[in-house]
Structures are given as C-alpha cells and as structure tokens.
Amino acid sequence: MNPVVAIIGGGPAGLMAADVLSHAGVKVNLYDSMTSVGRKFLMAGKSGLNLTHAENWNLFLSRYAAQEKNLTPMLNSFTADDLRTWARELSVDTFVGSSGKVFPVNMKAAPLLRAWLHRLRGQGVIFHVRHRWIGWDTQGHLLFSHPEGEKVIEADAVVFAIGGGSWARLGSTGQWVQEFQKQGISVYPLKPANCGFDVSFSSHFCERFSGQPIKSIRAKFVDSQGLTFDEMGELVITQSGIEGSLIYQLSALLREEISRKGIAIMYLDLMPNHTFEQLLSKLNQPRAKRSFSTHLKKQLGIDGVKAGLLRETLSKEEMNDLEKICHTLKALPLTLIAPRPIDEAISTAGGVNFDELDEAFMLRHAEGIFCAGEMLDWEAPTGGYLLTACFATGRWAGLGALAWLKNKENK
Ligand SMILES: Cc1cc2nc3c(=O)[nH]c(=O)nc-3n(C[C@H](O)[C@H](O)[C@H](O)COP(=O)(O)OP(=O)(O)OC[C@H]3O[C@@H](n4cnc5c(N)ncnc54)[C@H](O)[C@@H]3O)c2cc1C
C-alpha cells in the first residue's frame, strides 16, 4: 500500500518536504489555510529575494547562534551552494551581491515559486488550500476548518511546516502553538525577531524624520551579560523609533536585554571614519559668521537626520560645547524601550523546543509527526539565513518522514 503524507503549511519548508517525498514516489497532500501557497515567500521577493549568503561556511553556520549545533546537520546536508543549484534546476540563476547576499538574477520569488509548484504538481503533490489546521481529534486525526465545514484527515505521516507568527495576513498566525502545548509538546513563546524598536524619541523628531535612513554608521551594544555587538550598517527612523538591517542583526540581543532590564541602551557612531580628535579639530576651525548648523554641515557633513539626532540628544547648552558634540557624534546613546509587535517583525524567535525532536525532526512523543521551518525554536538575522534554514529543515523533515515510512513498511 502506498503511504500518504500530510504536509501542513505551504511555505518554503513545507514545499521542500513535499518535494523530497513526492520525488521518492510518496503520495503527498499539502494543506494550507490561505487561498494559495507561498505567500510569505512571495512577499520576501518584493524587495529582492535574498535566498542565501555566500560567506565562509563556518561564519554562515555561526549566524544561528544558540541553535548552530542543532541546525548544522541539516545545513551541511543542504548548503548555500546546494540551494543555488536547486534554484538553477528550476531555471532560476542566482548571483552574489556586493555584500555576499545571494539573489535570483531577477530578484523576484514568483518565477521560482511558479516553476517549483509546476514540478511539485508533476510529481503528484495535491494542494488543498483554504484548509486551516485547528488541532487533533480524540483519535489523533488531523482536524481542519474549511469553508464547507470541519474536516478530519488521516495520514501515515505528517510534516508540520506551519511557520512562525509574524505578518499574520500572509497565513502564519502562530495559533498552532496552543494546540501543540495542549498535547504537552514544549513550545517556547513566539517573539519578534528581525524587528524594529520603539525609542524614547520626541514625537516631533519622529514626525520630522520618519522614513529617513541613516547610512554608514556604526552601532555598538554591550548587554548586561557582556555580549557585544559592533557593526557598520544603516538604519531607518520610524514613527516610533528605529528599524533596518543594522537593527535586525542586533534585534535578538536588544529584545532579550529589554525583557531583562526594561530598556536597552545602544550607541551610534555617526562618524565612524573620523576620530574624536579629527572631529574636534574640524569643528575648531573658525566659523566666521556662519550659523553653527552651517558650520556642522560644512566641516563634518552633519545635517538632516544626523543633525536632528544630535539636537534630540543634547540640550541647548550642550550644543555649545564642541567636545560634548564630538563625543556624542562618536557615541550617541539611544534608549530602546520595546520591540515592535510580532506581526510587524520579519520573522519570529521561539517555537518547538529542539528537545522535543529526534535526529530526523520527528516529535519524540508523537510517532510519524515531523516539524520544520520557522516554527522551530531558532532565529537568525536577515541575509538569506532564514530561508536557507527553512529549506534545509523542510528537506530534512521530508527525508526523515521518508525513512520512517520505509522502516515501518519493512517491519
Ligand atoms: C517581508 C518579509 C521579507 C522577508 N525576506 C526574506 C529574505 O529576503 N530572505 C530570507 O531568508 N527570509 C526572508 N523572510 C523570512 C522568510 O520568508 C520566512 O522565514 C520563511 O518564509 C518561513 O518559511 P516557513 O515555510 O517556515 O513558513 P511560512 O513561509 O510562514 O509558511 C507557513 C505556511 O503555513 C500556512 N499555515 C499557517 N498556519 C496554518 C494552519 N493553521 N493551517 C494550515 N496552514 C497554515 C501559512 O499559510 C503558510 O503558507 C522575509 C519575511 C518577511 C515577512
């Protein structure tokens, strides 16, 4: 008898599990709550689909921080290069950008998703959209809500790839957490990752500069446990604080510090290519009849949002103190008071505790049920690391389900 596998969730992880299983001839039914699959993947392609990263592999693995060890076998078995080969097999070539990030040549997700779905349908995968998984019945069968009513589904094995909890309008609501916890499965609460933060800025500052980027700066942060971050990059002022790639990289440290201490104080070096002495010497040049703002702009190129930040930080009196200004330009303190809500985050931290999973990503206490993707308890910065781990863990769980079914058949 041919086994049937139910996959719940049609994002990168679920589609990858469907790919390996259907390629091996297993009948796959894939269920998704939305009217079509891969919504978040398509959204990721809107501003340039960053599929993976071409940096040194050990550095790549270190991006998964506390979960590096748990994810290394999956990532070693489906590396950044393997991901690029996989895309090429779907007729999508990739290139390495100047930062090392890897993108499809046309930057979009749609052609890749289209070709992938075509292949999956050809391999016999059946897509059941508008099927929202709502839990298990008393016999352990899967329960779905569907516009025509509730459905009970049986399967020989199940792969959950149901996503995290951000951007709920794209399908992943995180509602599964409660259902898993009801079964006694340990799941860490979902938290915002790669997110913006509220900062103690005046409303005047936010209104004036919201949407404006601050480029070529250095962010420095040391948390209360001594963990240090010191990187160049850029951020953007929002209506209530800051966001952007530099902040996303730091978001895990900042989020945890706020949860411990109530606030997190980070420092911006607005002039990373100048020393304090160089800045002071430039500002000490005679300014004749120029206003101080013009002098700042002419000598240091500080105007617009950078000048706004300086005035937001220093009092009127301090703005007459050149040494104080130079110190502040080199280490401007920002007090972060809260991460932005989970729904606005690029991804989520938290999820199924790795202790619940065996080496094949099967739940230790629920035979035949596998998990993959962002629903697992790992996080990583933006840079292609999120998608790479979703693909790699989806593939791993699919292969795990395949091996488990074969083993069962041979018993
Ligand atoms: C704006 C944005 C840009 C991003 N850009 C990038 C990027 O460039 N590079 C990168 O690496 N990462 C990026 N990401 C992150 C990346 O898209 C996600 O990490 C990845 O899609 C997660 O894959 P997944 O398969 O685990 O979950 P998802 O992609 O979230 O898929 C889960 C699927 O499960 C379905 N589902 C949820 N609940 C149920 C239910 N109860 N019943 C049935 N189906 C359900 C959902 O509809 C969804 O289709 C971006 C994210 C966002 C929001």
Side-chain angles (χ1 to χ4, degrees):
M1 200 185 73
N2 270 348
V4 178
V5 175
I7 295 181
I8 305 177
L15 294 175
M16 204 47 137
D19 208 349
V20 292
L21 282 157
S22 58
H23 182 72
V26 174
K27 187 166 168 11
V28 173
N29 285 310
L30 189 146
Y31 300 88
D32 200 290
S33 52
M34 301 297 279
T35 52
S36 59
V37 297
R39 293 279 180 99
K40 194 174 272 185
F41 186 59
L42 287 174
M43 176 56 78
K46 271 213 152 174
S47 51
L49 183 72
N50 181 193
L51 269 178
T52 188
H53 206 291
E55 68 195 0
N56 166 281
W57 189 241
N58 285 335
L59 184 59
F60 187 107
L61 293 173
S62 73
R63 306 293 182 185
Y64 300 91
Q67 300 303 6
E68 175 182 347
K69 210 167 132 233
N70 280 321
L71 290 173
T72 293
M74 298 84 218
L75 290 161
N76 276 341
S77 128
F78 192 70
T79 63
D81 284 341
D82 294 333
L83 180 43
R84 297 184 69 186
T85 306
W86 169 85
R88 201 172 309 124
E89 282 165 8
L90 289 168
S91 307
V92 173
D93 280 326
T94 54
F95 72 97
V96 182
S98 54
S99 58
K101 291 178 182 174
V102 175
F103 302 92
V105 281
N106 67 0
M107 304 295 276
K108 300 269 177 261
L112 188 54
L113 184 62
R114 224 176 5 250
W116 197 9
L117 294 181
H118 181 73
R119 180 165 89 189
L120 292 176
R121 287 197 185 95
Q123 287 174 185
V125 175
I126 299 173
F127 291 89
H128 304 266
V129 292
R130 292 198 182 93
H131 281 70
R132 188 163 63 84
W133 178 74
I134 49 174
W136 286 276
D137 71 5
T138 45
Q139 271 95 53
H141 300 141
L142 300 165
L143 280 179
F144 287 88
S145 102
H146 180 264
E148 284 161 18
E150 218 164 274
K151 288 192 180 178
V152 180
I153 308 281
E154 282 185 59
D156 297 295
V158 181
V159 178
F160 278 93
I162 205 164
S166 72
W167 288 61
R169 64 185 178 281
L170 302 177
S172 296
T173 58
Q175 281 165 351
W176 58 269
V177 171
Q178 243 188 338
E179 293 309 314
F180 271 53
Q181 285 172 337
K182 271 193 223 160
Q183 301 299 318
I185 303 164
S186 158
V187 181
Y188 292 111
L190 301 182
K191 301 184 213 171
N194 294 300
C195 57
F197 287 83
D198 291 336
V199 178
S200 59
F201 287 142
S202 66
S203 51
H204 167 76
F205 175 81
C206 291
E207 271 159 35
R208 172 108 202 269
F209 294 108
S210 169
Q212 296 211 18
I214 312 182
K215 298 189 176 182
S216 307
I217 54 169
R218 183 177 281 279
K220 296 182 188 178
F221 178 65
V222 183
D223 75 5
S224 51
Q225 311 198 317
L227 292 170
T228 304
F229 178 93
D230 185 346
E231 291 277 344
M232 289 284 293
E234 67 178 74
L235 57 79
V236 178
I237 303 296
T238 65
Q239 283 183 354
S240 62
I242 49 172
E243 64 177 19
S245 51
L246 187 58
I247 297 307
Y248 297 159
Q249 284 182 63
L250 237 180
S251 64
L253 281 184
L254 295 171
R255 182 193 67 223
E256 294 309 313
E257 183 74 351
I258 292 173
S259 117
R260 273 190 303 266
K261 298 275 171 189
I263 56 165
I265 301 176
M266 61 180 282
Y267 293 88
L268 298 183
D269 182 347
L270 298 180
M271 301 293 290
N273 298 324
H274 290 74
T275 62
F276 167 82
E277 289 74 22
Q278 287 168 332
L279 294 178
L280 193 58
S281 142
K282 287 194 171 197
L283 277 191
N284 269 326
Q285 298 299 312
R287 74 168 150 123
K289 287 186 177 154
R290 283 196 299 267
S291 70
F292 186 65
S293 303
T294 313
H295 187 60
L296 253 186
K297 184 176 173 188
K298 188 155 187 293
Q299 292 300 322
L300 303 180
I302 294 284
D303 63 347
V305 61
K306 284 187 178 173
L309 262 182
L310 202 58
R311 291 185 196 285
E312 181 74 5
T313 311
L314 298 178
S315 65
K316 269 196 178 146
E317 295 71 49
E318 287 171 328
M319 282 302 287
N320 293 319
D321 178 343
L322 295 189
E323 287 204 6
K324 182 81 187 171
I325 288 175
C326 295
H327 277 303
T328 309
L329 286 171
K330 291 300 292 172
L332 186 137
L334 290 184
T335 304
L336 279 59
I337 47 186
R340 293 297 300 159
I342 203 163
D343 200 41
E344 293 176 21
I346 299 280
S347 61
T348 44
V352 175
N353 183 340
F354 276 96
D355 290 346
E356 293 284 350
L357 303 171
D358 71 7
E359 311 72 50
F361 277 3
M362 184 170 81
L363 288 171
R364 288 185 196 281
H365 304 295
E367 284 265 294
I369 299 185
F370 297 77
C371 300
E374 203 181 308
M375 70 180 294
L376 303 178
D377 175 37
W378 59 273
E379 66 179 307
T382 54
Y385 311 106
L386 297 165
L387 281 174
T388 308
C390 289
F391 284 120
T393 56
R395 180 175 170 276
W396 190 265
L399 290 172
L402 190 62
W404 182 79
L405 287 166
K406 279 199 179 139
N407 194 26
K408 204 172 139 199
E409 202 177 271
N410 294 338
K411 270 187 186 167

